[in-house]
Amino acid sequence: MKISIIIPAKDEEKRLPHFLRKVIDYCRQSVHSYEIIIVDDGSKDQTAKVSLTFQKEFPSLKVTSLERNHGKGYAVKQGFFAALGEIVLFLDADGSTSPEEIERHLHWLQEGYDIVIGSRVLSDGQSQVKALTYRKWMGGIFNFLVSRLLIKDIKDTQCGFKMFRSSLIPAIFGRLYLEGFGFDLEVLYLAQKMNLRVKEVAVNWSHVDGSKINLIKDSLQMFWNIIEIKKWHNNDIPMG
């Protein structure tokens, strides 16, 4: 099986090399064939340059550089449309979610699910989540509102680990409007409108310093995104 790992990155020259080393080592040990696509979202540092230094040891690593910053959602979308794998996923550049989660949960796709999403809320007795207390509190409020206003039966919409069957990418990502952090909400809302099978799974997750998210500003923006998503897609005809 060929699997594509998309890593959106903006100004990640310090954190990304350490995580890339882990991802490459993981891919080399796997029975599956992997490609890694770094999407440099208009970085002002040397993110693209340091990523390219890994190509010699892992030729299936590609770097796409966007001329200006668009947002995480746009970067993920560009990586997904460039991917060649049967399974396409994204991981955050900070390494908060380990690549080991891929094959730990790959069987769900093999068992018929269309999308597998990581959760920092669910517990399976094996996974550990190391998050800052105030972020847990704010995340809980946000997820509560999302479940009431937009997406049912999903505990954590924003975890940076999501796997998709590649055949679904045009139908979902081709309909996205949002380019920023709120794109996860739109993706999952569309998935539910299309009656796709989404499996939420507990993952190991650790806080990494240097987050690009402004909790107040970006949370307010995502609340507004909820209204926008319903306006854009409420009249969509279910496709599943």
Side-chain angles (χ1 to χ4, degrees), residues 9-228:
K10 180 182 183 295
D11 298 330
E12 292 287 0
E13 66 176 6
K14 294 182 179 179
R15 298 192 299 182
L16 186 56
H18 175 70
F19 183 50
L20 262 183
R21 165 59 54 214
K22 289 181 63 176
V23 174
I24 289 172
D25 289 346
Y26 170 80
C27 292
R28 281 175 162 174
Q29 296 170 15
S30 174
V31 298
H32 299 294
S33 173
Y34 278 90
E35 69 170 348
I36 302 169
I37 301 177
I38 310 296
V39 183
D40 176 11
D41 188 18
S43 295
K44 295 182 179 179
D45 65 3
Q46 300 299 310
T47 294
K49 185 175 181 180
V50 298
S51 299
L52 286 169
T53 62
F54 288 87
Q55 273 188 331
K56 287 185 178 180
E57 59 181 293
F58 195 78
S60 294
L61 183 146
K62 308 170 187 175
V63 179
T64 298
S65 294
L66 306 180
E67 291 187 4
R68 66 177 180 85
N69 175 245
H70 290 266
K72 181 182 177 182
Y74 185 89
V76 169
K77 180 178 178 177
Q78 298 311 302
F80 271 35
F81 277 114
L84 300 176
E86 300 165 61
I87 303 299
V88 184
L89 65 108
F90 69 86
L91 293 172
D92 286 343
D94 61 4
S96 53
T97 306
S98 169
E100 277 77 20
E101 298 297 335
I102 299 171
E103 288 175 40
R104 182 172 171 236
H105 297 295
L106 191 60
H107 68 94
W108 294 114
L109 294 171
Q110 296 168 326
E111 291 172 21
Y113 283 91
D114 300 302
I115 303 171
V116 176
I117 67 171
S119 175
R120 298 159 294 183
V121 177
L122 294 182
S123 175
D124 60 3
Q126 300 176 355
S127 305
Q128 290 187 330
V129 173
K130 300 176 182 177
L132 301 178
T133 302
Y134 75 92
R135 293 191 63 143
K136 282 186 177 180
W137 181 76
M138 292 192 70
I141 294 175
F142 179 76
N143 289 326
F144 174 80
L145 291 173
V146 168
S147 68
R148 291 296 183 272
L149 301 174
L150 190 69
I151 302 167
K152 298 183 182 300
D153 303 321
I154 292 179
K155 304 295 185 183
D156 182 5
T157 61
Q158 302 308 120
C159 181
F161 171 72
K162 293 180 173 68
M163 296 196 291
F164 300 77
R165 295 183 185 279
S166 62
S167 58
L168 299 172
I169 289 171
I172 298 176
F173 285 81
R175 299 164 75 188
L176 291 187
Y177 289 93
L178 293 177
E179 297 186 344
F181 291 115
F183 85 101
D184 300 80
L185 296 172
E186 192 174 10
V187 165
L188 294 173
Y189 186 70
L190 286 170
Q192 288 198 341
K193 293 281 285 185
M194 295 166 65
N195 296 318
L196 298 177
R197 296 188 68 196
V198 179
K199 179 66 177 179
E200 187 174 14
V201 297
V203 295
N204 292 291
W205 189 93
S206 297
H207 169 78
V208 180
D209 290 336
S211 173
K212 303 296 190 303
I213 296 177
N214 181 310
L215 280 179
I216 302 299
K217 179 182 176 181
D218 290 322
S219 293
L220 291 173
Q221 180 61 52
M222 286 193 284
F223 288 138
W224 174 246
N225 290 159
I226 292 173
I227 298 171
E228 292 179 310

